[in-house]
């Protein structure tokens, strides 16, 4: 999976899913997405409102709603996946489904596990989650149709990864 933004300071991006068929990589989906409201960074820090640039594994999922049939380990928890903006209707469904991006986290743990191997100051809790129409605090947000497709498609035996950043840094 590749998520790229046109500019370093833009919250607007595109998510493209590629799947290997035989020896070839083929695009199997593309969706508009959002990243950190202040853009991208190669030196992510807690609270900078930027998404970290890099290649990260995708190992765990969860959300408020029941497991939709994903092959990734799934944690349903109505108390752990609560919107950071409960008063804002646009954000009420952000965490219906999430896929943990393995930036500064321990793969194989719940998406909301607070352990930060690089330290608290480097941030964490970076997820793929449902889109609310604008930039995030550092996560990647996608339409519900994209999230459902990803949850049904990603298979841990294939060792899924996400490549994310702005075009210039990724050299697209």
């Amino acid at each position: 999976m590749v998520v790229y933004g046109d500019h370093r300071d833009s919250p607007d991006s595109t998510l493209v899913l590629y799947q290997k068929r035989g020896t070839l990589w083929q695009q199997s989906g593309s969706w508009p997405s959002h990243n950190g409201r202040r853009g991208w960074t190669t030196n992510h820090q807690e609270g900078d409102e930027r998404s970290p640039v890099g290649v990260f594994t995708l190992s765990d999922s969860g959300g408020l709603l029941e497991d939709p049939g994903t092959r990734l380990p799934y944690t349903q928890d109505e108390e752990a996946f609560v919107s950071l903006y409960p008063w804002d209707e646009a954000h009420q469904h952000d965490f219906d489904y999430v896929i943990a991006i393995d930036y500064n986290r321990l793969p194989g743990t719940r998406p909301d596990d607070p352990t930060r191997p690089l330290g608290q100051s480097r941030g964490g809790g970076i997820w793929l989650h449902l889109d609310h129409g604008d930039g995030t605090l550092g996560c990647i947000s996608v339409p519900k149709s994209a999230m459902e497709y990803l949850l049904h498609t990603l298979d841990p035996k294939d060792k899924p990864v996400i490549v994310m950043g702005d075009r210039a840094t990724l050299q697209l």
Side-chain angles (χ1 to χ4, degrees), residues 122-152:
R122 294 294 303 274
I126 305 295
W127 299 339
L128 277 163
H129 65 72
L130 298 183
D131 192 53
H132 51 256
D134 60 6
T136 69
L137 296 177
C139 295
I140 305 298
S141 64
V142 297
K144 185 176 183 180
S145 62
M147 182 59 79
E148 289 172 340
Y149 184 84
L150 295 171
L151 284 166
H152 286 109

Side-chain angles (χ1 to χ4, degrees), residues 36-58:
R37 57 178 66 119
R38 294 190 58 225
W40 301 94
T41 183
T42 56
N43 185 27
H44 183 65
Q45 300 295 313
E46 182 78 27
D48 66 7
E49 296 185 355
R50 292 183 178 273
S51 295
V53 172
V55 179
F56 309 102
T57 55
L58 302 168

Side-chain angles (χ1 to χ4, degrees), residues 84-97:
L84 301 173
Y85 308 97
W87 64 90
D88 183 356
E89 190 174 323
H91 292 273
Q92 288 180 355
H93 296 283
D94 285 1
F95 306 140
D96 281 358
Y97 298 119

Side-chain angles (χ1 to χ4, degrees), residues 90-131:
H91 292 273
Q92 288 180 355
H93 296 283
D94 285 1
F95 306 140
D96 281 358
Y97 298 119
V98 305
I99 298 172
I101 296 171
D102 294 338
Y103 166 80
N104 198 18
R105 71 178 299 272
L106 293 174
T109 61
R110 295 169 50 117
D112 62 327
D113 184 332
T115 305
R116 303 287 181 254
L118 302 174
Q120 280 301 124
S121 67
R122 294 294 303 274
I126 305 295
W127 299 339
L128 277 163
H129 65 72
L130 298 183
D131 192 53

